Amino acid sequence: MAPKKIIIDTDPGIDDILAILLALSAKPEELEVLLISLTFGNIEVRSCLRNVVSMFHILEREMQWRREKGLPEGFGALRKSPPIVAVGAEDPLEDQKMLADYFHGVDGLGGIHASHPHLTPEETWEHLFDPSADPEEVEPVRTGAGSSPSFIPSKRQAHEEILRILGENDPDTITLVAVGPLTNLAKAAAADAETFLRVKEVVVMGGAINEPGNVTPGAEFNAYADAFAAARVYALTSPSPKSTLPTGTSLPDYPANLSKQLTLRIFPLDITHRHGIKRGQFRQTVAPLLEKGSPLAEWVSAFMTHSFKTVEELHTGNEGDESELSLHDPVCVWYAMTAEDEKWKPSKSSPEDIRIETTGQWTRGLCVVDRRNRHRIEGDEESASDHGLWLSSRAGNRVWRMDASPAENNKFGEILLEKLFT
């Protein structure tokens, strides 16, 4: 059986890096990471790029260390097929930019580039992403002593690279895992909606339905950071995208007659908060590897120490070995790896008409759900009793909201640690 193909659109970020590591740790027959496309979000997009390149640098050192110790190298998906890396959106479509450096640190990894400079490669690779150069000239990059390239830099914008890869692969063969603001996806869909709809499904970490938000009382960060982009991507799930498409953006409307609806599967805070890793659990796995000199253990431990400390400062009663970090983004990658597991379940009401608020003073990024017990209405015209076409059978979004997984609470933390370190 051919490996599953995925694109990861991301803003690394601490849990983003854990998500990418999880994907690259897969066996080569399980998964192929075609593209890592970068967006602003947790931090500025150029800092996201430095974090990803640093990750590849560490992985090369880790695999060399494992070879020298007579251990299995791991990270088979990476060794078989180095992914393309492309830089994308620097700003949201319309909103004022907000970053999450208050949690992730100014550099996105808890200040690791200043505190552990020996773990950061020299920035001699930046010119490889220069868009003014010929986009066809690509050079596989080795960031360490390994004999194989770690990644392939792209000079194209991330949304252009997404469309190129979707266009060159068979329809319904690529899952796009989006764990940051959806700006790159919105740009790709606006540029060529039909090519974008060749994707098998889009898996999104974003939103909050019955849980409080994490940046406002109602909004989760990714949905808040570019609410217009999220609303535009969600609109592609509708039988009539114009019924939920936000106005006021510089991007064009979608064509009137699209060939299909987007399959969009969201992982809101409601489910991701049930997948965490505790400080004691992490230390128990990593401490022996630190003593033996594992580069990956040293690198991950450095930014996870920052994460657990920040969690303690933000949340009361979350202290010591019980301090717990939610694994928001890795859950989405894990779904892409194991989607056939019957224990993955959407909400009983899925697909749901979930819309993203774009213009509210206090509600930007809010997931709006119709909780009224009302009869459906045939047709696609507004009526006095249905402003916004919430009851129409021919309008509104159709979003799959994931509600259960094969391993919740600290069980997923164990799975992640095993994949990365053993």
Side-chain angles (χ1 to χ4, degrees):
M1 182 180 295
K4 298 172 182 175
K5 298 179 180 181
I6 69 169
I7 292 170
I8 303 177
D9 190 75
T10 177
D11 57 337
I14 289 164
D15 56 330
D16 304 74
I17 287 291
L18 294 176
I20 299 168
L21 287 171
L22 176 61
L24 297 177
S25 74
K27 296 177 181 178
E29 62 269 21
E30 293 176 332
L31 195 71
E32 181 180 3
V33 182
L34 300 176
L35 169 67
I36 298 172
S37 56
L38 302 177
T39 177
F40 82 96
N42 290 321
I43 47 174
E44 300 286 359
V45 72
R46 300 307 295 191
S47 294
C48 292
L49 177 60
R50 177 169 64 166
N51 291 345
V52 166
V53 174
S54 295
M55 178 197 69
F56 285 116
H57 171 71
I58 292 297
L59 285 176
E60 285 194 7
R61 290 178 56 183
E62 174 72 8
M63 288 186 285
Q64 181 180 4
W65 175 81
R66 292 183 183 184
R67 286 193 298 270
E68 292 172 353
K69 294 291 184 180
L71 301 170
E73 289 183 54
F75 297 96
L78 170 61
R79 287 187 287 114
K80 181 177 180 181
S81 183
I84 296 169
V85 175
V87 180
E90 297 181 2
D91 299 288
L93 296 181
E94 306 296 334
D95 296 316
Q96 180 180 357
K97 181 158 64 175
M98 173 185 175
L99 304 175
D101 50 6
Y102 68 93
F103 184 89
H104 295 268
V106 174
D107 67 357
L109 293 178
I112 195 171
H113 300 297
S115 63
H116 295 68
H118 60 289
L119 299 178
T120 301
E122 294 183 8
E123 296 186 14
T124 57
W125 39 264
E126 280 201 320
H127 72 283
L128 300 171
F129 296 89
D130 183 358
S132 65
D134 185 351
E136 301 303 325
E137 292 181 5
V138 294
E139 178 183 343
V141 176
R142 298 169 179 82
T143 60
S147 59
S148 301
S150 294
F151 65 91
I152 301 170
S154 173
K155 296 180 174 66
R156 295 184 179 90
Q157 281 285 299
H159 74 277
E160 297 172 341
E161 200 66 73
I162 289 171
L163 290 174
R164 183 189 68 80
I165 290 173
L166 290 174
E168 292 179 0
N169 284 268
D170 291 337
D172 300 318
T173 59
I174 296 175
T175 296
L176 204 168
V177 182
V179 293
L182 299 184
T183 317
N184 286 335
L185 278 66
K187 287 185 173 183
D192 189 342
E194 286 295 350
T195 297
F196 185 76
L197 289 172
R198 292 168 66 92
V199 71
K200 179 180 179 181
E201 63 179 359
V202 173
V203 176
V204 170
M205 192 282 119
I209 306 300
N210 299 312
E211 285 264 318
N214 58 6
V215 290
T216 72
E220 175 274 333
F221 175 80
N222 288 338
Y224 183 92
D226 197 339
F228 280 95
R232 286 187 63 96
V233 174
Y234 279 44
L236 284 171
T237 70
S238 175
S240 174
K242 68 178 182 180
S243 67
T244 61
L245 196 66
T247 58
T249 74
S250 56
L251 297 181
D253 291 347
Y254 296 130
N257 297 306
L258 293 172
S259 61
K260 60 181 287 192
Q261 294 167 233
L262 176 69
T263 300
L264 180 68
R265 202 171 295 272
I266 68 167
F267 286 73
L269 295 179
D270 307 60
I271 184 171
T272 60
H273 270 162
R274 304 200 302 265
H275 296 75
I277 186 170
K278 293 188 175 182
R279 177 189 270 133
Q281 183 183 19
F282 177 78
R283 188 176 63 243
Q284 185 177 4
T285 297
V286 172
L289 296 171
L290 284 172
E291 292 179 5
K292 295 175 182 177
S294 161
L296 182 62
E298 182 184 5
W299 191 63
V300 175
S301 182
F303 63 72
M304 289 293 280
T305 297
H306 166 87
S307 299
F308 289 122
K309 180 180 178 182
T310 305
V311 166
E312 284 185 337
E313 294 171 351
L314 290 174
H315 302 283
T316 58
N318 202 340
E319 301 172 348
D321 278 357
E322 294 301 305
S323 178
E324 184 174 358
L325 177 70
S326 295
L327 298 171
H328 305 290
D329 298 344
V331 173
C332 296
V333 166
W334 188 42
Y335 166 79
M337 296 169 67
T338 63
E340 66 282 354
D341 192 318
E342 295 180 354
K343 293 180 180 178
W344 288 109
K345 295 185 183 299
S347 66
K348 293 180 180 179
S349 53
S350 287
E352 301 172 75
D353 186 357
I354 300 174
R355 309 185 193 184
I356 302 295
E357 175 59 50
T358 57
T359 58
Q361 181 180 0
W362 309 116
T363 57
R364 166 180 158 187
L366 178 74
C367 288
V368 183
V369 181
D370 190 352
R371 304 182 192 277
R372 302 171 297 173
N373 186 19
R374 300 278 295 275
H375 291 295
R376 306 292 290 180
I377 297 174
E378 291 298 322
D380 55 5
E381 296 295 330
E382 279 195 340
S383 69
S385 63
D386 185 29
H387 181 70
L389 293 170
W390 286 93
L391 303 175
S392 170
S393 60
R394 303 180 191 173
N397 295 334
R398 304 289 188 270
V399 177
W400 292 89
R401 174 169 64 90
M402 300 306 292
D403 194 44
S405 86
E408 299 187 7
N409 301 317
N410 298 320
K411 294 180 181 178
F412 178 55
E414 294 174 7
I415 292 171
L416 179 70
L417 291 170
E418 180 181 358
K419 293 284 188 182
L420 268 53
F421 293 109
T422 62

